[in-house]
Amino acid sequence: MPTDKSCPLASLRTDETATVRRVSDDDPALLRHLREIGVVPEAIVTVKKYSEFDGNLTLRVEGQKSNVVLGTAVTTQVFVDK
């Protein structure tokens, strides 16, 4: 089996781009929310802004019209490849 080199989305900073690989499936409501905003496996995301204060990430999700802000409760459950 290949080793998993993914890291939490929360570890990205401004101007970094990554591909979503997996999402923790413990919370069905979270999965629905992420699907609605396009943060699904194979989606390409770019961090537009990182908040030093609370760790929130402003993301550009490829194929979506507007940016989205996600907090650490979400970004620690989304795993990406840089």
Side-chain angles (χ1 to χ4, degrees):
M1 298 225 24
T3 56
D4 182 6
K5 296 180 182 177
S6 62
C7 62
L9 178 58
S11 68
L12 270 64
R13 296 297 177 260
T14 303
D15 295 327
E16 288 189 306
T17 298
T19 302
V20 176
R21 292 297 175 209
R22 60 187 174 87
V23 177
S24 174
D25 61 359
D26 294 336
D27 184 352
L30 172 62
L31 293 173
R32 283 190 296 275
H33 174 68
L34 292 173
R35 185 180 64 231
E36 288 174 7
I37 62 173
V39 179
V40 296
E42 301 306 316
I44 297 172
V45 296
T46 301
V47 178
K48 302 309 278 179
K49 183 178 176 184
Y50 166 73
S51 171
E52 291 280 341
F53 175 71
D54 55 14
N56 285 352
L57 296 178
T58 301
L59 299 176
R60 174 75 179 129
V61 181
E62 188 174 90
Q64 301 297 312
K65 292 182 181 180
S66 57
N67 292 342
V68 62
V69 178
L70 297 176
T72 56
V74 174
T75 59
T76 57
Q77 296 187 58
V78 177
F79 296 87
V80 299
D81 284 344
K82 293 182 183 182

